Amino acid sequence: MKASRVVSTARRSARALGSSNRTFVRDLSCPATSNTQSFACSRTTTKSKQAQPTYLRSHSHQRTLTPQSYRTYASSSSDARLNKTALYDLHLAHGAKMVPFGGFEMPVQYTGLSVSASHHFTREKASLFDVGHMVQHRFEGPGATAFLQRITPGSLASLPTHQSTLSALLWPGIGSIVDDTVITRLGPELFYVVTNAACREKDLAYLNEQLAAWDGAEVRHEVLDGWGLIALQGPLSEELLAQVLEDPTATNLRELYFGQSRFAKVKGATEPVLISRAGYTGEDGFEISISPADTVSVTETLLSTSGSDKLQFAGLGARDSLRLEAGMCLYGHDLDDTTTPVEGALGWIVGKDRRNPASDADKFHGADVVLAQLTPKSKGGSGVSRRRVGLTIEGAPAREGAEIVDAQTSEKIGVITSGCPSPTLGKNIAMGYVKDGLHKAGTEVQVLVRGRPRKAVITKMPFVPAKYWKAPA
């Protein structure tokens, strides 16, 4: 351990909320998103006193975790006991079919509503997704900003308080993606970070080792286990959320734009919830972080107040087709430990003020590799050999692993990482990687579906235009 103290804590239980004179606003986005996708938070000008979730405050009871060596983990193990979110019983009561996902039992769809029907319901009305399997972190201390800038390429030093950004944890030396993440600044040296459930073990091992090696100022890390997270998505989302606000005038949703968020009191909750205008579907919507004790009550209140004609639960099936139409990545499929941000079409997450580091101390992990990739070979950089692209495909849908070949020579030029029929467009869409130079929209290729070549075209993403509620330009 270095001279500067580093504390890494796994939070196992909820703590009561404290009070504060400050009101916080938070924003999320996707690749987020997640992804992903950038989220932002800003402070409101209200002077009213509001309670503040405990994870925003310092805690005296903390446990130091033993650093672990870097490893690559599978998303789940067939013989491992699956976890359950706080909404598990509620899902079953609504007729959910549960499947393993990211180490959890999660709903894939619900009785009486097909995946396609649920997809359309989200686009036309509103759906509620349980995303409580995601991992929520808290980083605090005088070294928090510098530490996070070491392991991610974002411009966190210049990130205003209560704003967020999509980013990625990067492997030292090679700059490939450990996991994609959303980072929110909630104070001068206080950050809220969300990572993927399937990467939990790998991410914690990575963070523990990075914290142990950190030689800067003190950093305290906590994992916020037990906190609920639900995503309200669709054109009716604002209307439905407004109905459960305790004081709609104190939280004007019309003035809460995509990338912003705030704490508010809602019906069914004993503590304020964190409302973020964000999502993983391309629709207008909100993500709501809820204390463990209130997660079920808030969710039931939202469902009952809205009515089934306007709001229904949606599962992983609809979430996957919605996010693919929105051109959003799923880690472990469209991104992995071998992919750099530039290869993954995420070069934009590298902050402009991080592209010319003054010294090695200012560099993020893998900066030498990633920064060189930002410049094509034709302009003196190293460029990349492959790029993530979108495709539309004729005939049968292409699934993960299908080969992409040159339309003229039949030479393999890439591979599909995600694919499905698009309920909105009525055509087959996919995401994958192709050789650099063949990634431009309009390029004709072929995809081998069950061994048969199918005509395909490189297509700009998102496939379906986003409908985010954005601030006036």
Side-chain angles (χ1 to χ4, degrees):
M1 189 71 67
K2 304 297 180 180
S4 58
R5 187 165 62 94
V6 177
V7 181
S8 178
T9 306
R11 180 188 180 108
R12 303 301 178 190
S13 61
R15 299 184 176 94
L17 294 177
S19 60
S20 170
N21 294 326
R22 295 176 292 176
T23 300
F24 295 97
V25 181
R26 169 184 174 247
D27 156 28
L28 297 176
S29 93
C30 165
T33 104
S34 53
N35 139 251
T36 160
Q37 214 179 31
S38 66
F39 301 161
C41 297
S42 58
R43 176 180 288 177
T44 61
T45 57
T46 177
K47 297 181 180 180
S48 61
K49 293 185 178 181
Q50 288 191 344
Q52 179 185 131
T54 312
Y55 63 74
L56 298 183
R57 306 176 63 199
S58 297
H59 307 294
S60 57
H61 302 292
Q62 297 181 329
R63 177 171 62 87
T64 300
L65 297 180
T66 303
Q68 303 174 36
S69 299
Y70 293 141
R71 293 171 55 192
T72 298
Y73 298 90
S75 60
S76 63
S77 174
S78 58
D79 60 353
R81 183 176 179 179
L82 295 174
N83 295 306
K84 299 176 181 178
T85 71
L87 300 180
Y88 178 83
D89 291 335
L90 190 57
H91 292 312
L92 295 183
H94 282 258
K97 177 182 178 181
M98 309 300 285
V99 298
F101 183 81
F104 283 76
E105 291 191 64
M106 298 296 293
V108 66
Q109 67 180 97
Y110 295 81
T111 301
L113 205 62
S114 67
V115 171
S116 179
S118 183
H119 179 112
H120 287 300
F121 195 90
T122 307
R123 294 272 186 241
E124 297 166 3
K125 296 184 179 181
S127 292
L128 197 62
F129 300 83
D130 180 6
V131 289
H133 60 304
M134 302 292 283
V135 186
Q136 303 175 65
H137 309 254
R138 174 183 181 274
F139 290 87
E140 184 184 23
T145 300
F147 173 73
L148 290 174
Q149 286 214 148
R150 172 73 58 82
I151 64 175
T152 74
S155 298
L156 303 182
S158 59
L159 186 70
T161 301
H162 306 302
Q163 290 194 357
S164 307
T165 182
L166 175 77
S167 194
L169 306 178
L170 301 180
W171 288 109
I174 57 178
S176 57
I177 300 172
V178 178
D179 197 5
D180 57 308
T181 180
V182 174
I183 301 175
T184 303
R185 181 190 287 277
L186 294 176
E189 291 291 349
L190 175 60
F191 294 87
Y192 174 74
V193 177
V194 179
T195 57
N196 287 297
C199 296
R200 179 188 177 100
E201 188 177 359
K202 177 182 73 171
D203 290 350
L204 290 180
Y206 169 89
L207 290 170
N208 290 338
E209 185 164 327
Q210 291 301 310
L211 285 165
W214 176 244
D215 57 1
E218 176 189 355
V219 178
R220 295 183 294 277
H221 169 228
E222 291 181 278
V223 176
L224 309 174
D225 279 339
W227 285 81
L229 190 61
I230 57 176
L232 175 62
Q233 300 286 292
L236 299 184
S237 295
E238 181 183 304
E239 171 192 327
L240 303 182
L241 183 56
Q243 294 175 1
V244 301
L245 293 176
E246 289 284 6
D247 185 359
T249 60
T251 307
N252 186 347
L253 297 180
R254 280 279 87 186
E255 296 180 357
L256 183 66
Y257 300 107
F258 180 76
Q260 298 180 335
S261 51
R262 67 188 55 170
F263 288 103
K265 294 182 178 180
V266 299
K267 298 173 183 177
T270 60
E271 304 173 354
V273 300
L274 179 60
I275 298 173
S276 306
R277 198 146 203 162
Y280 193 49
T281 65
E283 291 292 327
D284 183 23
F286 304 86
E287 291 186 349
I288 307 169
S289 180
I290 314 167
S291 70
D294 292 333
T295 300
V296 174
S297 178
V298 169
T299 303
E300 290 180 326
T301 298
L302 189 54
L303 288 167
S304 62
T305 301
S306 302
S308 61
D309 59 326
K310 292 185 177 180
L311 179 65
Q312 294 199 25
F313 264 132
L316 295 172
R319 189 168 182 253
D320 192 52
S321 57
L322 289 161
R323 69 92 187 171
L324 186 52
E325 287 187 346
M328 297 180 178
C329 298
L330 177 61
Y331 192 89
H333 299 264
D334 312 304
L335 301 172
D336 61 25
D337 293 292
T338 71
T339 309
T340 67
V342 182
E343 291 174 319
L346 297 174
W348 55 270
I349 71 173
V350 181
K352 292 183 178 179
D353 62 355
R354 307 298 308 281
R355 300 189 179 196
N356 293 290
S359 66
D360 287 345
D362 296 325
K363 292 181 179 180
F364 55 86
H365 283 336
D368 291 341
V369 173
V370 175
L371 295 179
Q373 289 180 342
L374 288 171
T375 303
K377 291 181 180 179
S378 61
K379 296 184 179 180
S382 67
V384 292
S385 60
R386 60 172 183 155
R387 292 182 182 272
R388 181 173 64 91
V389 297
L391 304 95
T392 52
I393 303 166
E394 295 183 9
R399 304 298 185 180
E400 181 177 4
E403 292 185 1
I404 305 170
V405 301
D406 187 285
Q408 303 300 321
T409 67
S410 296
E411 174 192 1
K412 181 180 177 180
I413 59 172
V415 64
I416 298 295
T417 54
S418 291
C420 72
S422 164
T424 302
L425 301 175
K427 61 178 67 174
N428 299 317
I429 60 174
M431 191 182 296
Y433 285 80
V434 298
K435 287 184 178 181
D436 183 50
L438 299 175
H439 64 283
K440 295 182 179 179
T443 300
E444 295 183 354
V445 297
Q446 291 184 334
V447 177
L448 301 184
V449 181
R450 300 186 185 92
R452 296 183 58 186
R454 302 286 185 177
K455 292 183 178 180
V457 178
I458 305 299
T459 305
K460 184 178 180 180
M461 295 184 287
F463 298 98
V464 175
K467 300 174 184 177
Y468 306 129
W469 179 246
K470 295 184 176 182

Coordinates of all heavy atoms in Angstrom, one line a residue, residues 403-456:
E403 N -20.3 -14.8 -40.2 CA -19.2 -14.2 -40.9 C -19.7 -13.1 -41.9 O -20.7 -13.3 -42.6 CB -18.4 -15.2 -41.7 CG -17.6 -16.1 -40.8 CD -16.7 -17.1 -41.5 OE1 -16.6 -17.0 -42.8 OE2 -16.0 -17.9 -40.9
I404 N -19.0 -12.0 -42.0 CA -19.2 -11.0 -43.0 C -18.2 -11.2 -44.1 O -17.0 -11.3 -43.8 CB -19.1 -9.6 -42.4 CG1 -20.1 -9.5 -41.2 CG2 -19.5 -8.5 -43.5 CD1 -19.9 -8.2 -40.4
V405 N -18.6 -11.3 -45.4 CA -17.6 -11.5 -46.4 C -17.7 -10.4 -47.5 O -18.7 -9.7 -47.7 CB -17.8 -12.9 -47.1 CG1 -17.6 -14.0 -46.0 CG2 -19.2 -13.0 -47.8
D406 N -16.6 -10.3 -48.3 CA -16.6 -9.3 -49.4 C -17.6 -9.8 -50.4 O -17.6 -10.9 -50.8 CB -15.2 -9.3 -50.0 CG -15.0 -8.2 -51.0 OD1 -15.5 -8.4 -52.1 OD2 -14.4 -7.1 -50.7
A407 N -18.4 -8.8 -50.9 CA -19.5 -9.2 -51.9 C -18.9 -9.6 -53.2 O -19.5 -10.4 -54.0 CB -20.4 -8.0 -52.1
Q408 N -17.6 -9.3 -53.5 CA -17.0 -9.6 -54.8 C -16.2 -10.9 -54.7 O -16.2 -11.8 -55.5 CB -16.2 -8.5 -55.3 CG -17.0 -7.2 -55.5 CD -18.2 -7.3 -56.5 OE1 -18.1 -8.0 -57.5 NE2 -19.3 -6.7 -56.1
T409 N -15.3 -10.9 -53.7 CA -14.4 -12.0 -53.6 C -14.7 -13.1 -52.6 O -14.1 -14.2 -52.6 CB -13.0 -11.4 -53.1 OG1 -13.1 -11.0 -51.8 CG2 -12.6 -10.3 -54.0
S410 N -15.8 -12.9 -51.8 CA -16.2 -13.8 -50.7 C -15.1 -14.0 -49.6 O -15.2 -14.9 -48.8 CB -16.5 -15.2 -51.3 OG -17.6 -15.1 -52.2
E411 N -14.1 -13.1 -49.6 CA -13.1 -13.1 -48.5 C -13.8 -12.7 -47.2 O -14.5 -11.7 -47.2 CB -12.0 -12.2 -48.9 CG -10.9 -12.1 -47.8 CD -10.0 -10.9 -48.0 OE1 -10.1 -10.2 -49.1 OE2 -9.1 -10.7 -47.2
K412 N -13.4 -13.3 -46.1 CA -14.0 -12.9 -44.9 C -13.4 -11.6 -44.5 O -12.2 -11.4 -44.5 CB -13.6 -14.0 -43.8 CG -14.1 -13.6 -42.4 CD -13.8 -14.6 -41.3 CE -14.3 -14.2 -40.0 NZ -13.9 -15.2 -38.9
I413 N -14.3 -10.6 -44.1 CA -13.9 -9.3 -43.8 C -14.4 -8.9 -42.4 O -14.1 -7.8 -41.9 CB -14.4 -8.3 -44.8 CG1 -15.9 -8.3 -44.9 CG2 -13.7 -8.5 -46.1 CD1 -16.5 -7.2 -45.8
G414 N -15.1 -9.7 -41.7 CA -15.6 -9.4 -40.4 C -16.6 -10.4 -39.8 O -16.7 -11.5 -40.3
V415 N -17.2 -10.0 -38.7 CA -18.1 -10.9 -38.0 C -19.2 -10.2 -37.3 O -19.1 -9.0 -36.9 CB -17.3 -11.7 -36.9 CG1 -16.7 -10.8 -35.9 CG2 -18.1 -12.8 -36.3
I416 N -20.4 -10.8 -37.3 CA -21.6 -10.2 -36.6 C -21.4 -10.4 -35.1 O -21.0 -11.5 -34.6 CB -22.9 -10.9 -37.1 CG1 -23.1 -10.6 -38.6 CG2 -24.1 -10.3 -36.3 CD1 -23.3 -9.2 -39.0
T417 N -21.7 -9.4 -34.3 CA -21.7 -9.5 -32.9 C -23.1 -9.4 -32.2 O -23.3 -9.9 -31.1 CB -20.8 -8.3 -32.3 OG1 -21.3 -7.1 -32.7 CG2 -19.3 -8.5 -32.7
S418 N -24.0 -8.8 -32.9 CA -25.4 -8.8 -32.4 C -26.3 -8.7 -33.7 O -25.9 -8.0 -34.7 CB -25.7 -7.5 -31.6 OG -25.1 -7.6 -30.3
G419 N -27.5 -9.3 -33.6 CA -28.4 -9.3 -34.8 C -29.8 -9.7 -34.4 O -29.9 -10.6 -33.6
C420 N -30.8 -9.2 -35.1 CA -32.2 -9.6 -34.9 C -33.1 -8.9 -35.9 O -32.7 -7.9 -36.5 CB -32.6 -9.2 -33.5 SG -32.9 -7.4 -33.2
P421 N -34.3 -9.4 -36.1 CA -35.2 -8.7 -36.9 C -35.7 -7.4 -36.2 O -35.9 -7.5 -35.0 CB -36.4 -9.7 -37.0 CG -35.8 -11.0 -36.6 CD -34.8 -10.7 -35.6
S422 N -35.7 -6.3 -36.9 CA -36.2 -5.1 -36.3 C -37.7 -5.0 -36.3 O -38.3 -4.8 -37.4 CB -35.5 -3.9 -37.0 OG -36.2 -2.7 -36.7
P423 N -38.3 -5.0 -35.2 CA -39.8 -4.9 -35.1 C -40.3 -3.5 -35.7 O -41.3 -3.4 -36.3 CB -40.1 -5.0 -33.6 CG -39.0 -5.8 -33.1 CD -37.8 -5.3 -33.8
T424 N -39.5 -2.5 -35.5 CA -39.9 -1.1 -35.9 C -39.7 -1.0 -37.4 O -40.6 -0.4 -38.1 CB -39.0 -0.1 -35.2 OG1 -39.2 -0.2 -33.8 CG2 -39.4 1.3 -35.7
L425 N -38.6 -1.5 -38.0 CA -38.3 -1.3 -39.4 C -38.8 -2.4 -40.3 O -38.9 -2.2 -41.5 CB -36.8 -1.1 -39.6 CG -36.2 0.0 -38.8 CD1 -34.6 -0.1 -39.0 CD2 -36.7 1.3 -39.3
G426 N -39.1 -3.6 -39.7 CA -39.6 -4.7 -40.5 C -38.5 -5.3 -41.4 O -38.7 -5.8 -42.5
K427 N -37.2 -5.1 -41.0 CA -36.1 -5.7 -41.7 C -35.1 -6.2 -40.7 O -35.1 -5.9 -39.5 CB -35.5 -4.7 -42.6 CG -34.9 -3.4 -41.9 CD -34.3 -2.4 -42.9 CE -35.3 -1.8 -43.8 NZ -34.7 -0.7 -44.6
N428 N -34.1 -7.0 -41.2 CA -33.1 -7.6 -40.3 C -31.9 -6.6 -40.1 O -31.4 -6.0 -41.1 CB -32.6 -8.9 -40.9 CG -33.6 -9.9 -41.1 OD1 -34.5 -10.1 -40.2 ND2 -33.7 -10.6 -42.2
I429 N -31.6 -6.4 -38.9 CA -30.5 -5.4 -38.6 C -29.4 -6.2 -37.8 O -29.7 -7.2 -37.2 CB -30.9 -4.2 -37.8 CG1 -31.6 -4.6 -36.5 CG2 -31.9 -3.4 -38.7 CD1 -31.9 -3.4 -35.6
A430 N -28.2 -5.7 -37.8 CA -27.1 -6.3 -37.0 C -26.0 -5.3 -36.8 O -26.0 -4.2 -37.3 CB -26.6 -7.5 -37.8
M431 N -25.2 -5.7 -35.9 CA -24.0 -4.9 -35.5 C -22.8 -5.9 -35.6 O -22.9 -7.1 -35.3 CB -24.1 -4.4 -34.1 CG -23.1 -3.3 -33.7 SD -23.3 -2.8 -32.0 CE -25.0 -2.1 -32.0
G432 N -21.7 -5.4 -36.0 CA -20.5 -6.2 -36.2 C -19.2 -5.5 -36.4 O -19.2 -4.2 -36.4
Y433 N -18.2 -6.2 -36.8 CA -16.9 -5.5 -37.1 C -16.5 -5.9 -38.5 O -16.6 -7.1 -38.9 CB -15.8 -6.0 -36.1 CG -16.0 -5.3 -34.7 CD1 -16.9 -5.8 -33.8 CD2 -15.2 -4.2 -34.4 CE1 -17.1 -5.2 -32.6 CE2 -15.4 -3.6 -33.2 CZ -16.3 -4.1 -32.3 OH -16.5 -3.4 -31.1
V434 N -16.0 -4.9 -39.2 CA -15.4 -5.2 -40.6 C -14.1 -4.6 -40.7 O -13.7 -3.7 -39.9 CB -16.4 -4.6 -41.7 CG1 -17.7 -5.3 -41.6 CG2 -16.5 -3.1 -41.5
K435 N -13.3 -5.0 -41.7 CA -12.0 -4.4 -42.0 C -12.1 -2.9 -42.2 O -13.0 -2.4 -42.8 CB -11.4 -5.0 -43.2 CG -10.9 -6.5 -43.0 CD -10.2 -7.0 -44.2 CE -9.7 -8.4 -44.0 NZ -9.0 -8.9 -45.3
D436 N -11.2 -2.2 -41.7 CA -11.1 -0.7 -41.9 C -11.0 -0.5 -43.4 O -10.3 -1.1 -44.1 CB -9.9 -0.1 -41.2 CG -9.8 1.4 -41.4 OD1 -10.8 2.0 -41.1 OD2 -8.7 1.8 -41.8
G437 N -11.8 0.5 -43.8 CA -11.9 0.8 -45.3 C -13.1 0.3 -45.9 O -13.6 0.8 -46.9
L438 N -13.7 -0.7 -45.2 CA -15.0 -1.2 -45.7 C -16.1 -0.9 -44.8 O -17.2 -1.5 -44.9 CB -14.9 -2.8 -45.9 CG -13.8 -3.3 -46.8 CD1 -13.7 -4.8 -46.8 CD2 -14.1 -2.8 -48.3
H439 N -15.9 0.1 -43.9 CA -16.9 0.4 -42.9 C -17.8 1.6 -43.2 O -18.7 1.9 -42.5 CB -16.1 0.8 -41.6 CG -15.2 2.1 -41.8 ND1 -14.0 2.0 -42.4 CD2 -15.4 3.3 -41.4 CE1 -13.5 3.3 -42.4 NE2 -14.3 4.1 -41.8
K440 N -17.6 2.2 -44.4 CA -18.4 3.3 -44.8 C -19.9 2.9 -45.1 O -20.1 1.9 -45.7 CB -17.8 4.1 -45.9 CG -16.4 4.7 -45.6 CD -15.9 5.5 -46.7 CE -14.5 6.1 -46.4 NZ -13.9 6.8 -47.5
A441 N -20.8 3.8 -44.7 CA -22.2 3.5 -44.9 C -22.5 3.4 -46.4 O -22.0 4.2 -47.2 CB -23.1 4.6 -44.3
G442 N -23.3 2.4 -46.8 CA -23.6 2.2 -48.2 C -22.8 1.1 -48.8 O -23.1 0.6 -49.9
T443 N -21.7 0.6 -48.2 CA -20.8 -0.4 -48.7 C -21.6 -1.7 -48.7 O -22.2 -2.2 -47.7 CB -19.6 -0.6 -47.8 OG1 -18.8 0.6 -47.8 CG2 -18.7 -1.7 -48.4
E444 N -21.6 -2.4 -49.9 CA -22.4 -3.7 -50.0 C -21.4 -4.8 -49.6 O -20.3 -4.9 -50.1 CB -22.9 -3.8 -51.4 CG -23.9 -2.8 -51.8 CD -24.5 -3.0 -53.2 OE1 -24.0 -3.9 -53.9 OE2 -25.4 -2.3 -53.6
V445 N -21.9 -5.7 -48.8 CA -21.2 -6.9 -48.4 C -22.2 -8.1 -48.4 O -23.3 -8.0 -48.8 CB -20.6 -6.7 -46.9 CG1 -19.6 -5.6 -46.9 CG2 -21.7 -6.4 -45.9
Q446 N -21.7 -9.2 -47.9 CA -22.6 -10.4 -47.7 C -22.3 -10.9 -46.3 O -21.2 -10.8 -45.8 CB -22.3 -11.4 -48.8 CG -22.7 -11.1 -50.2 CD -22.4 -12.2 -51.2 OE1 -21.6 -13.1 -51.0 NE2 -23.2 -12.2 -52.2
V447 N -23.4 -11.5 -45.8 CA -23.3 -12.2 -44.5 C -23.7 -13.6 -44.6 O -24.7 -13.9 -45.3 CB -24.2 -11.5 -43.4 CG1 -24.2 -12.2 -42.1 CG2 -23.8 -10.0 -43.2
L448 N -22.9 -14.5 -44.1 CA -23.2 -16.0 -44.2 C -24.1 -16.4 -43.1 O -23.8 -16.4 -41.9 CB -21.9 -16.8 -44.1 CG -20.9 -16.5 -45.2 CD1 -19.7 -17.4 -45.0 CD2 -21.5 -16.6 -46.6
V449 N -25.4 -16.6 -43.5 CA -26.4 -17.0 -42.5 C -26.7 -18.5 -42.7 O -27.2 -18.9 -43.8 CB -27.7 -16.2 -42.7 CG1 -28.8 -16.6 -41.7 CG2 -27.4 -14.7 -42.5
R450 N -26.4 -19.3 -41.8 CA -26.5 -20.8 -41.9 C -25.8 -21.3 -43.1 O -26.2 -22.2 -43.8 CB -27.9 -21.2 -41.9 CG -28.7 -20.8 -40.6 CD -30.1 -21.4 -40.7 NE -30.9 -20.9 -39.5 CZ -31.7 -19.9 -39.6 NH1 -31.8 -19.2 -40.7 NH2 -32.4 -19.5 -38.5
G451 N -24.6 -20.7 -43.4 CA -23.8 -21.1 -44.5 C -24.2 -20.5 -45.9 O -23.4 -20.7 -46.8
R452 N -25.3 -19.8 -45.9 CA -25.7 -19.2 -47.2 C -25.4 -17.7 -47.2 O -25.7 -17.0 -46.2 CB -27.2 -19.4 -47.4 CG -27.6 -20.9 -47.5 CD -29.1 -21.0 -47.8 NE -29.5 -20.2 -49.0 CZ -30.8 -20.1 -49.4 NH1 -31.8 -20.6 -48.6 NH2 -31.1 -19.4 -50.5
P453 N -24.9 -17.2 -48.3 CA -24.6 -15.7 -48.4 C -25.9 -14.9 -48.5 O -26.8 -15.3 -49.3 CB -23.7 -15.6 -49.6 CG -24.1 -16.8 -50.5 CD -24.4 -17.9 -49.5
R454 N -26.0 -13.9 -47.7 CA -27.1 -13.0 -47.8 C -26.6 -11.6 -48.1 O -25.6 -11.1 -47.5 CB -27.9 -13.0 -46.5 CG -28.4 -14.3 -46.0 CD -29.6 -14.8 -46.8 NE -30.1 -16.0 -46.4 CZ -31.2 -16.6 -46.8 NH1 -31.9 -16.0 -47.8 NH2 -31.6 -17.8 -46.3
K455 N -27.3 -10.9 -48.9 CA -26.9 -9.5 -49.3 C -27.1 -8.6 -48.0 O -28.1 -8.7 -47.3 CB -27.8 -8.9 -50.4 CG -27.5 -9.6 -51.8 CD -28.3 -8.9 -52.8 CE -28.1 -9.6 -54.2 NZ -28.9 -8.9 -55.3
A456 N -26.1 -7.7 -47.8 CA -26.2 -6.8 -46.7 C -25.5 -5.5 -47.1 O -24.7 -5.4 -48.0 CB -25.4 -7.4 -45.5

